[in-house]
Amino acid sequence: MRRSCYIILAVVCIRIAAALVANAASVDAASDASALAIAPYLMQVTQQSAVAGFHLKSKAIAGIRVFFDNGTFRDFMASQPRIAHFIPVSGLSACTAYRYQVITADGPQTPENSTGHLIKTSCAPGNSFSFAVYGDTRPGDNQTDHYHREVIDQILQHSPDFAIILGDMVDDGSQPDLWREFFGIEAELFRKTAVYPVIGDNDHATGEGLFASYFPGFAKGYYTFVWGNAHFFALNAWDAAGRQPREQLNTTSEQITWFVEQVSKPEAQKAAFRVVFMHDPAYISRGRASSLLIRQWRPLFEKYNIDVVFASWHLYERSLHKGVTYIISGGGGAELIWIRANTAYPSLADARDHHFVRVDVTAETMSLKAVSKQGAILDEITLTPRSRAASAPAAGLEPASQSAVQNFWINGRDAPKLDLVLFATNCGFCRRILDKILPSLADQYTVAFKVTYVNLDLEGTYDLFQQFGAAFGNQNAALPAIFMGSRAFGGENEIDLYLEPEIQNFLADPRQYRRDAIKMAVAKTQIAQPQEKRFAELSHSKTAAAGFYDVFNPLVISIAILLAMQLRLAGVTTARQVSTIAIFAVTAALAALAVTLGLGTSFAEPHQLSTARSYANFFAAALLAVSAVFIFLEGIKHRQGKTGIAPTRIKTSRRRRAAVIAAFACGALAGPIELIYAGHTYQSAAAMTSVPEHRIAAVTYLMVYHGVFAGGWAALLGLFCLGFRMAGRAAAKKTIGPAVLAVICLMLIFGAIVIVIHTL
């Protein structure tokens, strides 16, 4: 009996295994036989319609079969045989998921009953929904799609209703193979989740990109759509700091005229939320900010109550400027870039990890979470509609645009007085603190709050927030943040937990509480625009000192050594050396000044030049190595009894012309290149050359800087020429003494040390 049972069990197992193998074989065969080159992906979804795109391996008539809940289906077919199909689907209902499959004359190309192929229509206002945001999915310097796959796997676990992609989807947008790889990785997400992309510079590929071939409905680069109670606006900013024509970006451009027309419509302004997404950031602290977008687009974002602006760069970052939240989400797969933060554009949160941003929208809130590829929460914040905040300021507050610092009393002045400083934005919880929480606690404990309200929606206030955080020992306080007594606490949870006990501590012994309190005054004069604040602190002496300090960088040292060596080799006289050095220094100063006046506010972002500085350090090291090799070879010549460091035999007239031409050429080239080492003082002055009321003072500071810088460069050149002259004389007498060798070695060592310091 037992043996029979074992036999039956074995037969059952064999049949199950055979069935599994047969099923797998049929799936593989179906996959091999599929006519699809690119799996279906969904675009332009509304409450009643959608567009399904897919690409075949060869031309054929194809379409989409949509299945309805009542058991019926409807076919939407193309009229002509094509490889790339974009099939409009209509007759749908809002907030509904429909199964679909791709069909051709050869039969279905996707499963009929697959819940992985869904068209989810957009929701009506008032319904909750979620979406994912991510950018820079290309392999980049990583040269692998591993991180892109991990991010998509994580997004799939969250099942968003649609996805926004912030550009740079592929390394080279002109290569079809790269696009097929991209769609292959995204396939499981795209076949059931609508996608809304924008163009990145790599996708654009200097005009050769194939973006429009895969997303014809978004070919212009800018468009709008509505989902629930939110209006979304895609803008075309693929290279605002460089190659993109300015006529596509300025306020008179076709896309901005269109944007203003769309966002100003009553239905857009009455919506709970307005979201902008684009490739290039306007504001970013650890990347390349765009002064053009800040000047021309930011005022529109503020005027038309944009709640959040998404853009891409190789990290995660969140900042707040005049009430608008700016999110950088470029951790979709490319290499991560982490450089020194620019204090002119401080961030409230940042992270160096591959990630996406999950956004959950309800009728009254928009919650954003940055989620790493491992599922960790990197940052989170909840927003309330800006439009409603702007129309309903909290009790006791002036309109937010009028004052950065406001002082007022809650519950009169007869009760015991308790000072507190509130750093907040115009968020829902921030208003609740002033309208309900503080008045309720004041009545409950019979205490009078003297409130100093600092509006973090306005520029310049974040520096003050950091000062308070440092003084109270809590620089990482969430917002809104309350500073009272000797305590600082921020965020809704901490305020609910600690505010009432802190009031009780005060009432237990008010005198001792005030003695222990940290004294920090807030004056309106402390609030200033960051750039204007730094500019106001400049003086001619500070600018001169900065010009002298900036002389000591790798490029200056290396060029000085190499040019001095060449002057010695040319055999020019001492007087000619002096005049050549003067020509070089003046030309370099004038060239640098001309470039600065031409670029203007581009120097407001010094961190943008970190990559250029790395290349310049490498170039300087190469120049120094050339000089060292030359000295070594000349030393060998001297040891062999040959002429050492001595002038070549060139006619005097040719030497003069060559020296002058070389001085002009080197100065014109080296001056502008040298600007990549310009410090904060120079950048502050350069940024203000575009502001009419500060232009004269800014140009004066720049002239002082370049005068001192040119003088310092000339002095270095003179010292190095003197060193080579001493070496030449000693070589002619065949007596290279220790002093001469020491001079040469010190020059090279000095240059090497400067390069190492700047590199580190």
Side-chain angles (χ1 to χ4, degrees):
M1 181 68 181
R2 182 179 299 177
R3 184 177 179 181
S4 300
C5 291
Y6 285 147
I7 292 173
I8 293 172
L9 182 60
V11 170
V12 170
C13 290
I14 291 171
R15 288 186 176 180
I16 292 174
L20 291 174
V21 170
N23 182 62
S26 64
V27 171
D28 290 341
S31 178
D32 292 339
S34 173
L36 293 174
I38 294 179
Y41 53 103
L42 304 170
M43 302 165 287
Q44 298 167 260
V45 174
T46 70
Q47 293 182 27
Q48 294 86 27
S49 64
V51 173
F54 55 89
H55 296 243
L56 303 177
K57 295 175 182 177
S58 60
K59 285 186 178 181
I61 294 178
I64 295 292
R65 175 170 292 171
V66 179
F67 298 91
F68 296 88
D69 288 340
N70 59 7
T72 63
F73 64 83
R74 182 180 173 189
D75 292 343
F76 299 85
M77 301 297 295
S79 59
Q80 298 292 330
R82 298 185 183 90
I83 288 179
H85 289 267
F86 302 96
I87 308 297
V89 176
S90 58
L92 309 179
S93 299
C95 281
T96 306
Y98 296 88
R99 290 180 295 107
Y100 73 93
Q101 65 179 160
V102 177
I103 55 175
T104 67
D106 296 330
Q109 302 300 314
T110 57
E112 176 181 340
N113 295 315
S114 172
T115 56
H117 292 77
L118 296 175
I119 297 175
K120 291 182 284 188
T121 54
S122 63
C123 293
N127 293 104
S128 300
F129 63 92
S130 70
F131 61 95
V133 184
Y134 55 105
D136 274 279
T137 57
R138 61 193 181 89
D141 292 346
N142 292 328
Q143 297 183 350
T144 176
D145 56 25
H146 173 73
Y147 300 109
H148 181 192
R149 293 180 185 277
E150 286 190 317
V151 170
I152 297 304
D153 288 343
Q154 188 60 230
I155 294 174
L156 286 168
Q157 297 182 35
H158 292 257
S159 301
D161 292 296
F162 61 91
I164 288 175
I165 304 183
L166 302 172
D168 274 3
M169 292 166 274
V170 294
D171 282 328
D172 184 348
S174 65
Q175 301 298 314
D177 289 346
L178 299 183
W179 284 104
R180 282 193 289 270
E181 290 176 9
F182 166 77
F183 280 106
I185 297 170
E186 300 272 357
E188 189 176 353
L189 177 67
F190 282 1
R191 68 193 186 195
K192 60 181 178 181
T193 305
V195 56
Y196 293 94
V198 289
I199 304 171
D201 54 311
N202 287 276
D203 309 322
H204 184 265
T206 63
E208 301 296 323
L210 302 175
F211 178 87
S213 299
Y214 299 98
F215 303 104
F218 307 138
K220 278 189 173 182
Y222 56 91
Y223 56 90
T224 183
F225 69 94
V226 178
W227 204 294
N229 55 349
H231 282 238
F232 296 82
F233 303 90
L235 295 180
N236 187 19
W238 54 267
D239 194 0
R243 295 167 294 171
Q244 189 168 4
R246 292 298 176 266
E247 55 267 23
Q248 295 182 6
L249 299 168
N250 58 42
T251 51
T252 59
S253 66
E254 180 182 333
Q255 77 158 325
I256 296 305
T257 302
W258 166 88
F259 171 65
V260 171
E261 178 185 332
Q262 295 295 321
V263 76
S264 60
K265 288 181 177 180
E267 56 267 31
Q269 288 301 301
K270 290 178 181 178
F273 297 100
R274 283 148 299 281
V275 177
V276 166
F277 58 103
M278 55 194 185
H279 179 65
D280 270 11
Y283 285 106
I284 184 173
S285 185
R286 295 185 183 273
R288 188 178 62 178
S290 171
S291 56
L292 185 149
L293 298 182
I294 291 173
R295 286 197 314 272
Q296 302 205 32
W297 291 19
R298 184 195 72 176
L300 299 177
F301 298 158
E302 296 161 5
K303 178 179 179 179
Y304 293 108
N305 294 316
I306 300 300
D307 293 275
V308 60
V309 177
F310 290 102
S312 187
W313 182 246
H314 302 237
L315 46 64
Y316 170 80
E317 197 174 283
R318 172 170 59 86
S319 60
L320 181 71
H321 301 274
K322 293 192 174 180
V324 181
T325 297
Y326 292 82
I327 300 289
I328 309 301
S329 179
E335 71 278 5
L336 300 172
I337 298 178
W338 193 258
I339 60 178
R340 182 181 302 173
N342 180 7
T343 56
Y345 306 129
S347 65
L348 297 175
D350 54 27
R352 185 182 186 180
D353 204 346
H354 291 97
H355 70 280
F356 76 99
V357 176
R358 172 179 174 149
V359 185
D360 293 282
V361 182
T362 68
E364 297 294 334
T365 64
M366 176 180 286
S367 299
L368 301 93
K369 293 182 180 179
V371 184
S372 76
K373 61 183 184 295
Q374 296 89 3
I377 304 300
L378 305 175
D379 179 43
E380 58 182 315
I381 185 175
T382 298
L383 306 178
T384 53
R386 281 194 71 229
S387 55
R388 299 175 188 176
S391 61
L397 290 184
E398 306 168 25
S401 60
Q402 294 184 7
S403 181
V405 179
Q406 301 177 41
N407 297 289
F408 50 88
W409 289 85
I410 292 179
N411 202 31
R413 306 187 187 185
D414 297 332
K417 183 187 73 173
L418 177 56
D419 295 332
L420 68 84
V421 179
L422 172 63
F423 286 86
T425 63
N426 216 356
C427 69
F429 180 66
C430 305
R431 297 194 305 277
R432 188 150 55 90
I433 291 173
L434 296 170
D435 291 341
K436 295 181 180 180
I437 296 176
L438 289 178
S440 174
L441 291 173
D443 290 338
Q444 179 181 347
Y445 290 99
T446 316
V447 64
F449 292 110
K450 183 181 180 183
V451 179
T452 299
Y453 174 83
V454 183
N455 186 355
L456 287 172
D457 284 341
L458 301 182
E459 296 286 351
T461 54
Y462 189 73
D463 286 342
L464 189 61
F465 174 58
Q466 290 182 315
Q467 294 173 22
F468 266 73
F472 281 75
N474 189 359
Q475 290 180 291
N476 296 318
L479 294 176
I482 291 178
F483 296 85
M484 56 190 299
S486 58
R487 293 285 304 276
F489 34 89
E492 186 169 352
N493 292 336
E494 286 193 3
I495 289 175
D496 288 342
L497 185 63
Y498 298 125
L499 179 57
E500 190 169 353
E502 192 66 17
I503 297 171
Q504 295 170 353
N505 291 339
F506 164 74
L507 293 175
D509 191 345
R511 290 186 179 181
Q512 185 62 41
Y513 186 90
R514 293 191 182 102
R515 282 195 295 267
D516 295 338
I518 297 174
K519 307 298 189 296
M520 289 286 288
V522 181
K524 295 184 180 181
T525 55
Q526 290 176 268
I527 310 300
Q529 298 290 343
Q531 290 182 5
E532 293 189 0
K533 182 179 179 181
R534 290 200 300 269
F535 183 76
E537 295 172 351
L538 293 183
S539 65
H540 290 95
S541 58
K542 284 185 178 181
T543 310
F548 179 76
Y549 173 80
D550 286 347
V551 168
F552 299 98
N553 69 64
L555 204 60
V556 167
I557 303 299
S558 301
I559 290 177
I561 292 175
L562 195 62
L563 189 56
M565 186 174 67
Q566 293 301 320
L567 287 174
R568 181 57 190 164
L569 287 175
V572 297
T573 63
T574 302
R576 179 60 61 183
Q577 288 185 17
V578 172
S579 62
T580 302
I581 291 171
I583 291 171
F584 169 80
V586 171
T587 304
L590 292 177
L593 182 60
V595 170
T596 300
L597 294 178
L599 294 179
T601 54
S602 294
F603 282 94
E605 297 93 31
H607 58 292
Q608 296 180 9
L609 304 174
S610 62
T611 302
R613 286 174 182 163
S614 299
Y615 285 118
N617 289 343
F618 177 79
F619 179 64
L623 290 181
L624 206 61
V626 169
S627 303
V629 169
F630 171 77
I631 297 297
F632 177 74
L633 294 177
E634 290 297 317
I636 293 177
K637 287 182 181 180
H638 172 74
R639 294 292 299 270
Q640 293 174 349
K642 301 177 182 179
T643 302
I645 304 175
T648 58
R649 296 183 179 180
I650 305 176
K651 290 183 179 180
T652 304
S653 60
R654 290 184 180 178
R655 276 182 277 175
R656 291 176 179 174
R657 286 198 300 271
V660 172
I661 293 172
F664 270 118
C666 290
L669 180 64
I673 294 176
E674 164 54 32
L675 291 176
I676 64 177
Y677 289 102
H680 289 285
T681 300
Y682 187 87
Q683 292 148 2
S684 298
M688 286 297 159
T689 57
S690 60
V691 182
E693 59 267 31
H694 297 307
R695 185 170 295 140
I696 295 177
V699 172
T700 303
Y701 287 142
L702 294 178
M703 292 176 67
V704 170
Y705 175 95
H706 283 297
V708 174
F709 187 90
W713 206 341
L716 274 178
L717 265 169
L719 287 174
F720 292 146
C721 284
L722 181 62
F724 280 113
R725 184 181 179 188
M726 292 170 57
R729 286 183 175 179
K733 298 177 182 179
K734 297 183 180 180
T735 56
I736 297 183
V740 176
L741 290 174
V743 169
I744 295 172
C745 291
L746 283 174
M747 285 193 296
L748 297 175
I749 292 171
F750 178 62
I753 290 173
V754 172
I755 291 175
V756 170
I757 291 174
H758 274 263
T759 302
L760 295 177

